[in-house]
Amino acid sequence: MIDKEALRLSYRKKRRELSTQQIRDFSADITEKFLGFLEENRAIQHIHLFLPIDRFHEVDTFPLFYTLQERGYFLYTSQVNKEKDQLDTLDISKIKGFEADAWGIPLPVGGRPCAAHDIQLVLIPLLAYDVNGFRIGYGKGYYDKYLASLEQEVLKVGLSFFLPEPVIPVEPHDIPLDVCFIPHQVFHFNN
């Protein structure tokens, strides 16, 4: 079995090899599939999004954000709190835009700190994932800690450009995805 760091390096390379147009097209397809999912699951109104970092070549969630905002969803994101080594929740339902910080991380202009108790679905950034829904992120464990801190059950949704690995190394604190959207396909996991 390949180790987590080797998978991280491999998937970072695979992402860098995607053109800007491929990222745009794949992201649009993923957004369309996710919006269709929400149409089938209308009870979901409180959604936590990750904000894409350009230099990481992530799925672009900005078009999804603006569509959901226009449709009246309650929207949230997280910001790293380095002092507490955790993610803090921000309400971004009514913000007007984003600014990049010195590291290129998008920050919501006017995002308000809030409790996370209403969140029903969390979009989770990832580098790789497997057929069981386990994911590999960037190695800090922020999202696993964040998910473990939530008092309520949430739907855990990954967004990826690539197919799943057969299996990835799993640690006791790893929390699997329930669903993962990729271009032209959706994976549901039985966890």
Side-chain angles (χ1 to χ4, degrees):
M1 180 186 315
I2 192 165
D3 69 24
K4 283 187 173 185
E5 197 50 43
L7 281 167
R8 282 188 186 100
L9 291 171
S10 171
Y11 277 86
R12 282 186 175 122
K13 181 178 185 294
K14 286 174 79 165
R15 278 195 190 164
R16 282 192 308 271
E17 291 170 349
L18 294 173
S19 71
T20 302
Q21 189 60 50
Q22 285 176 305
I23 290 172
R24 188 176 300 124
D25 292 346
F26 291 164
S27 295
D29 187 77
I30 290 166
T31 295
E32 182 181 325
K33 286 194 176 16
F34 182 72
L35 291 171
F37 174 81
L38 289 179
E39 285 295 318
E40 295 172 6
N41 295 275
R42 291 181 185 262
I44 298 171
Q45 293 293 308
H46 293 262
I47 299 171
H48 180 289
L49 295 98
F50 68 87
L51 303 176
I53 301 170
D54 280 345
R55 67 183 153 80
F56 290 169
H57 308 278
E58 294 179 308
V59 173
D60 183 0
T61 58
F62 286 123
L64 176 61
F65 165 78
Y66 288 113
T67 299
L68 294 175
Q69 186 184 49
E70 185 178 283
R71 293 182 182 181
Y73 283 85
F74 297 94
L75 303 173
Y76 309 86
T77 195
S78 293
Q79 191 169 343
V80 174
N81 180 331
K82 291 186 179 167
E83 288 178 15
K84 294 183 178 178
D85 193 37
Q86 68 183 27
L87 294 177
D88 291 339
T89 305
L90 300 176
D91 182 338
I92 58 172
S93 300
K94 301 203 183 315
I95 67 162
K96 301 293 185 223
F98 301 89
E99 292 178 354
D101 70 8
W103 295 278
I105 298 171
L107 301 174
V109 177
R112 296 179 300 111
C114 67
H117 61 271
D118 289 329
I119 294 171
Q120 297 168 289
L121 183 150
V122 179
L123 292 177
I124 303 171
L126 57 88
L127 285 165
Y129 64 105
D130 70 13
V131 296
N132 297 306
F134 287 100
R135 60 177 268 284
I136 293 178
Y138 297 103
K140 302 287 186 193
Y142 283 123
Y143 271 85
D144 286 318
K145 286 186 268 187
Y146 183 74
L147 293 168
S149 76
L150 297 175
E151 295 174 12
Q152 75 278 20
E153 283 293 316
V154 297
L155 198 59
K156 298 165 292 295
V157 178
L159 305 177
S160 179
F161 297 127
F162 309 108
L163 290 166
E165 290 287 318
V167 65
I168 60 172
V170 177
E171 297 175 46
H173 64 269
D174 290 339
I175 297 175
L177 301 169
D178 297 305
V179 182
C180 190
F181 291 83
I182 70 169
H184 316 296
Q185 211 166 345
V186 181
F187 291 93
H188 295 268
F189 307 106
N190 299 321
N191 299 313

